[in-house]
Amino acid sequence: MIKIAVLIKQIPLIEDANFDSETRTIKRDGPNVISAFDLRAISLAVDLNNRLGAQTTVVTMGPPQARGALIDALAMGMDHAVHLEDRAFAGSDTLATARALARWLKGGSFDLVLLGKYSLDAETGQVGPEVAALLGIAQITGVRKLEIDGRIIRAERESDEGYDEIEAAMPALLTCAERVAQPIRLKPDAAEKAKSREIVTVRAAELGVPGDFGFEGSPTWVKEVQFLSTPKTQCHFIDPADLERAAAEIVGALEKLDALAPRKRKRRPVSDMPRNSVRGRDVWVVCEENLAGQVTRGTLELLSSGDELASTLGGALVAVAIPKSMERHAGLLSSYGADRLLILDGTGLESYTPEGWADALAGVVPPREPWALLLSASERGRDFGPRLAARLNLGLTGDAIGLEVDSEYRLVALKPAFGGNVVAPILSKTFPQTATVRAGVLELAEPSEKRRAEVEVVHVDVGSAKSRLIRAHSLLDPSVAPLEGAEVVIGVGTGVGGPDGVARVTEFARSIGAGMCATRRVTDAGWMPRQLQVGLTGKAIDVRLYFAIGVRGAPNHTVGIKRAGTVVAINNDPDSPIFERANIGLVADWSAIVPPLQAALRGVRS
């Protein structure tokens, strides 16, 4: 019989988030719910129980009121419940949380550990890989499909371009994406019966030294916090009676707002001065490439920021690349500021695995003592980064949107939470200071072709692979401009009606050279790939011009377009919330206005 543990987190409702400025923690006095992705993990565990006869245990770490989440999980069909509850756990960051959970899990001999891809309050996705590292087991993050054959797991893992087919042997830890299972509807009578079920309570002293947890055991800490709000926009409505005239008026309004011209950004040139490595002052950037073998924009943005940081600190900017084939990008990486290119080569690194990359980096980071280690907050960066941090006992700030150096020459990583409603500067007690950074939020520097990085190839020993990448798949349309780095994006909502409507909007995007994105309901319906989802459980975009077509404008989408410069909304419902965020609005049938608008915009481009 397979033994399954499900790790869940109880979080405040996003709209009721309340931050305590004195304790620098989220107040949880209001309504609390099980994080949405964790509900998928519970559903998957119950399904495996029904199909394979598994034994299931739900575990949470939290204050006394978190018991309510365990009762709900029992009512949904979980067999046992465990509550790690102690004041010594208060204030734990992701690593301190993972440490407590892993120590309890070690005694259970579990075959599978399941949890959500990330929680909707912190949005880091770090606890899962950190627990896997501390347990020394395989991990597959962002699982959207799962098959089990004896002790072998075959899964589809979400990637930035589509999905990867992965194979691993038990024991393993899986983080669950939205599509792996549907949440179980909680029945009132089952919830009432679950209140009398046994819940085992575990105290900090049972898991080791209490100083390993809570604030004391946490390598990262919050310096301060800032609440952000999205003010309502004054929307200029255009009369749709004459569609050609309306299209011309939209274009005219966009010209007045200077939304049709490329952003006038004067890029900062990379440093011309060669920099030498200085122990404790170097900035390391881990580089990635896409399925086409191109260096990702997120990597170039990190190098651009790292160039500035290295100049401030007096150290070198080191581009770290895996595997050896990445050496062909030496010229490009140099042009964005890299003083040195450190290539990690070793058996098994030709194909990506999170444990392989974590092992490779763990072998070179400690002896060379960089000041900072920066990774992209890509699906891959979020996969191996936390595993590496746990291996090296490092604090990690996930999904940062900015990097700064304070007066004491410490790295300050700006971390959004609660859908971007909160931004907290995070500092680390450990070195190197480590962060994953969201693509599209850092400015690209002006590259210099004159720069030449010193290339060093280091052979590293990695352990036996615990998982295997079978095949990588792309779901993105190469004929449409990539969403990453796009200045103009067309957003698609369910108001377009279905795949035929998406096809018509796609042609509009092609004609004006725009990228495309979608609301969650559109990707849930399978009309567009999840990789193009923008919003609370998707991506955030920083664009010059955003067309919202058939988009209702629910908050879980509009948090992803907070940084959009100009928003044009087309919706046949005058009461749609999207008009509260739009600069230009048109209450009309999108299919009627898009052709004349397309023609008008094409005329401007030509």
Side-chain angles (χ1 to χ4, degrees):
M1 177 181 290
I2 297 175
K3 290 186 66 178
I4 301 174
V6 179
L7 312 181
I8 67 172
K9 184 178 182 182
Q10 190 182 56
I11 65 170
L13 292 172
I14 303 300
E15 57 270 25
D16 292 336
N18 189 12
F19 196 88
D20 189 320
S21 58
E22 291 185 7
T23 63
R24 296 173 182 169
T25 57
I26 297 292
K27 290 183 179 180
R28 301 177 185 271
D29 300 331
N32 292 279
V33 295
I34 298 174
S35 188
F37 286 110
D38 291 346
L39 290 173
R40 265 68 179 183
I42 292 171
S43 298
L44 179 59
V46 172
D47 177 63
L48 292 174
N49 188 357
N50 293 335
R51 291 193 289 114
L52 305 176
Q55 182 185 95
T56 61
T57 301
V58 60
V59 186
T60 195
M61 186 178 98
Q65 58 263 38
R67 181 183 177 90
L70 296 173
I71 292 172
D72 287 346
L74 289 170
M76 293 175 193
M78 298 295 291
D79 297 321
H80 309 287
V82 175
H83 189 182
L84 276 59
E85 194 268 304
D86 196 309
R87 296 188 71 174
F89 294 134
S92 293
D93 70 357
T94 60
L95 184 56
T97 299
R99 191 180 291 133
L101 292 168
R103 288 184 184 176
W104 184 85
L105 289 166
K106 279 181 180 178
S109 300
F110 290 99
D111 301 292
L112 281 180
V113 180
L114 307 179
L115 66 163
K117 185 176 180 181
Y118 56 79
S119 62
L120 295 187
D121 54 350
E123 306 170 34
T124 60
Q126 292 173 196
V127 170
E130 288 176 337
V131 168
L134 295 171
L135 294 176
I137 62 176
Q139 70 182 61
I140 308 176
T141 57
V143 173
R144 66 174 217 165
K145 187 176 180 181
L146 177 68
E147 294 179 2
I148 296 178
D149 183 4
R151 301 287 298 176
I152 301 300
I153 299 166
R154 296 183 181 87
E156 291 182 0
R157 173 182 65 200
E158 293 183 337
S159 70
D160 287 300
E161 295 171 77
Y163 65 95
D164 298 334
E165 295 180 49
I166 307 294
E167 187 175 86
M170 296 182 190
L173 179 144
L174 313 180
T175 72
C176 299
E178 289 174 285
R179 290 149 190 82
V180 73
Q182 290 299 312
I184 296 170
R185 188 179 297 275
L186 188 61
K187 297 179 180 178
D189 58 335
E192 192 60 35
K193 289 179 182 177
K195 291 179 180 178
S196 62
R197 299 271 299 276
E198 179 186 10
I199 295 176
V200 176
T201 301
V202 178
R203 304 299 184 188
E206 300 175 55
L207 302 176
V209 181
D212 289 341
F213 319 118
F215 288 110
E216 187 178 349
S218 297
T220 59
W221 56 284
V222 182
K223 185 177 181 182
E224 57 190 23
V225 72
Q226 178 183 4
F227 273 94
L228 302 180
S229 60
T230 304
K232 293 183 179 181
T233 306
Q234 185 64 42
C235 184
H236 169 57
F237 284 94
I238 290 176
D239 186 354
D242 184 326
L243 293 175
E244 289 191 1
R245 177 180 292 177
E249 283 190 40
I250 291 174
V251 171
L254 291 174
E255 287 178 328
K256 287 182 181 179
L257 293 169
D258 202 24
L260 295 180
R263 281 176 172 165
K264 297 174 182 178
R265 289 178 174 174
K266 187 176 181 180
R267 292 184 177 181
R268 179 190 59 81
V270 299
S271 173
D272 288 331
M273 298 296 294
R275 294 168 295 218
N276 296 319
S277 285
V278 178
R279 192 176 294 272
R281 292 290 180 180
D282 289 351
V283 177
W284 284 22
V285 170
V286 181
C287 304
E288 292 186 43
E289 60 182 3
N290 59 25
L291 290 180
Q294 302 164 325
V295 174
T296 63
R297 181 186 173 92
T299 293
L300 300 181
E301 291 173 356
L302 280 178
L303 288 170
S304 299
S305 181
D307 170 68
E308 196 167 16
L309 292 173
S311 293
T312 300
L313 295 163
L317 175 60
V318 180
V320 185
I322 309 172
K324 192 175 186 302
S325 58
M326 285 285 284
E327 189 173 355
R328 69 184 185 276
H329 298 304
L332 177 63
L333 301 176
S334 301
S335 72
Y336 276 89
D339 299 292
R340 300 185 62 205
L341 175 56
L342 183 61
I343 301 287
L344 305 187
D345 183 34
T347 304
L349 291 178
E350 298 81 8
S351 181
Y352 169 77
T353 63
E355 62 271 13
W357 277 41
D359 283 352
L361 285 159
V364 296
V365 169
R368 301 194 182 212
E369 298 180 0
W371 177 82
L373 179 65
L374 305 177
L375 301 79
S376 233
S378 60
E379 294 288 354
R380 184 169 289 189
R382 293 183 180 195
D383 189 37
F384 78 87
R387 190 175 185 110
L388 172 65
R391 277 283 308 273
L392 298 180
N393 204 34
L394 296 175
L396 172 65
T397 302
D399 204 29
I401 58 172
L403 301 171
E404 299 173 354
V405 179
D406 71 5
S407 59
E408 298 178 44
Y409 289 92
R410 299 175 300 188
L411 177 68
V412 182
L414 304 178
K415 161 69 181 168
F418 286 94
N421 293 317
V422 170
V423 173
I426 308 293
L427 290 91
S428 176
K429 305 172 188 175
T430 55
F431 283 84
Q433 300 160 101
T434 309
T436 65
V437 183
R438 187 180 298 182
V441 298
L442 300 179
E443 293 285 349
L444 281 175
E446 187 64 39
S448 170
E449 302 301 328
K450 297 178 182 179
R451 295 185 58 88
R452 291 292 180 270
E454 176 188 345
V455 178
E456 179 186 3
V457 179
V458 177
H459 183 83
V460 291
D461 294 321
V462 298
S464 300
K466 293 179 171 60
S467 61
R468 182 168 70 94
L469 173 61
I470 300 171
R471 190 175 296 108
H473 301 263
S474 176
L475 298 175
L476 303 180
D477 184 345
S479 70
V480 177
L483 180 59
E484 188 180 67
E487 284 204 10
V488 180
V489 168
I490 298 177
V492 177
T494 53
V496 302
D500 289 343
V502 171
R504 293 182 61 184
V505 176
T506 302
E507 181 53 40
F508 176 34
R510 288 194 194 101
S511 72
I512 64 171
M516 291 186 68
C517 73
T519 65
R520 174 176 166 174
R521 290 180 64 192
V522 168
T523 60
D524 278 349
W527 301 352
M528 290 176 65
R530 185 210 62 83
Q531 288 70 21
L532 298 180
Q533 180 181 322
V534 163
L536 184 62
T537 56
K539 298 181 178 180
I541 55 175
D542 177 14
V543 295
R544 156 169 58 92
L545 177 57
Y546 181 68
F547 289 95
I549 299 182
V551 173
R552 189 174 70 86
N556 61 9
H557 175 70
T558 54
V559 295
I561 61 169
K562 275 188 173 183
R563 302 182 70 201
T566 301
V567 176
V568 178
I570 302 172
N571 199 299
N572 58 11
D573 180 2
D575 297 322
S576 288
I578 191 62
F579 291 120
E580 295 179 358
R581 175 62 185 88
N583 303 90
I584 301 169
L586 195 71
V587 180
D589 179 359
W590 71 270
S591 63
I593 188 60
V594 161
L597 180 58
Q598 181 174 325
L601 288 168
R602 257 198 313 235
V604 172
R605 289 190 81 206
S606 63

